[in-house]
Amino acid sequence: MDDIAKYIEHTNLNPLITVSDVDRLAHEAIEINCFGLCVPPFWVKRARREIGNSKLTLVTVVGFPLGYQMTETKLDEIQRAIDNGVDEIDVVWNLSAFKSGFPWTKIELAKCAKLAHASGKMLKVIIETSYLNDSEIVEGCKICADSGADFVKTSTGFASGGASADHVALMRNALPSSVGIKASGGINKKAIAMAMLEAGADRIGTSAGVEICKKL
């Protein structure tokens, strides 16, 4: 964990993000040599152009931030993101369906994973841990893993709470080693990021990538 930058997805999902913000985010990500860059779907094509031939992984979100869009809408978003040059997709699962006990949660995620994997892309599923109790987090992780998700992600950053080390540790125990964890939401200091990694996270989603990495 000495090189924390390799775990960082430098992120800006603020609704007020502008083209200059996107360009700056891309240039910052290249400068700190982090793992990836996460931008809203509208800005994927622009971000792809800005990062050029760098090794940055380009990430976007789908069904963001509430997750209760129709499955067909999410699949369309995924395909458009792929067409625009994204490498990884962070999809918000249907928390409403999950809380209702509907099996559609798993069916939807399996469809999303199939589409992403058909193009060689990775799928992360945002389960929004702040809205779940411990048993629901464990159940949700199992659903994600069984659906073919590559990662399970803690939070959108738009809910009542973000990532916690305790939740990350719980997720790590519930998931097979083949499924990664992305901790996101409220991670704005190096100490917090390190705590997430030590708890079992494989990626860190943060808008404070520059601040965290410059304190190495």
Side-chain angles (χ1 to χ4, degrees):
M1 298 181 193
D2 291 337
D3 183 11
I4 199 170
K6 67 183 181 182
Y7 301 99
I8 297 288
E9 290 182 19
H10 196 31
T11 304
N12 188 339
L13 298 173
N14 191 306
L16 298 179
I17 187 173
T18 65
V19 64
S20 60
D21 294 325
V22 174
D23 292 352
R24 182 173 62 253
L25 194 76
H27 300 155
E28 288 173 348
I30 293 170
E31 181 183 356
I32 63 177
N33 195 29
C34 63
F35 176 84
L37 172 69
C38 184
V39 298
F42 181 78
W43 294 112
V44 167
K45 189 177 292 186
R46 175 77 180 204
R48 172 54 66 191
R49 190 193 78 178
E50 290 301 305
I51 65 178
N53 294 323
S54 77
K55 295 181 180 179
L56 280 173
T57 295
L58 183 56
V59 185
T60 196
V61 290
V62 162
F64 199 84
L66 300 176
Y68 50 30
Q69 293 87 344
M70 295 295 289
T71 300
E72 293 80 4
T73 302
K74 291 181 180 178
L75 295 174
D76 183 66
E77 283 190 68
I78 290 171
Q79 187 60 61
R80 290 176 187 274
I82 291 170
D83 293 344
N84 286 336
V86 82
D87 299 304
E88 298 184 0
I89 296 108
D90 291 11
V91 62
V92 184
W93 77 339
N94 193 326
L95 181 62
S96 178
F98 174 74
K99 286 284 191 176
S100 300
F102 288 176
W104 189 252
T105 310
K106 182 176 179 179
I107 295 169
E108 176 177 273
L109 294 180
K111 289 186 176 186
C112 291
K114 181 179 179 180
L115 179 58
H117 294 160
S119 295
K121 312 303 179 182
M122 295 185 70
L123 185 79
K124 308 190 203 82
V125 178
I126 308 172
I127 62 172
E128 207 70 278
T129 52
S130 65
Y131 292 143
L132 305 174
N133 60 38
D134 286 0
S135 62
E136 288 174 328
I137 290 173
V138 170
E139 182 184 358
C141 284
K142 291 180 179 178
I143 288 173
C144 292
D146 291 345
S147 301
D150 300 291
F151 277 75
V152 182
K153 179 177 172 182
T154 59
S155 321
T156 61
F158 285 77
S160 56
S164 77
D166 287 344
H167 282 164
V168 169
L170 183 65
M171 293 165 67
R172 185 67 279 159
N173 287 332
L175 289 166
S177 59
S178 58
V179 179
I181 295 172
K182 179 177 174 180
S184 184
I187 305 173
N188 54 12
K189 297 179 181 178
K190 181 183 175 183
I192 300 174
M194 292 296 293
M196 299 299 171
L197 294 172
E198 290 166 0
D202 303 281
R203 300 269 188 86
I204 301 294
T206 178
S207 59
V210 172
E211 292 83 353
I212 290 172
C213 292
K214 282 187 175 179
K215 292 182 180 180
L216 292 177

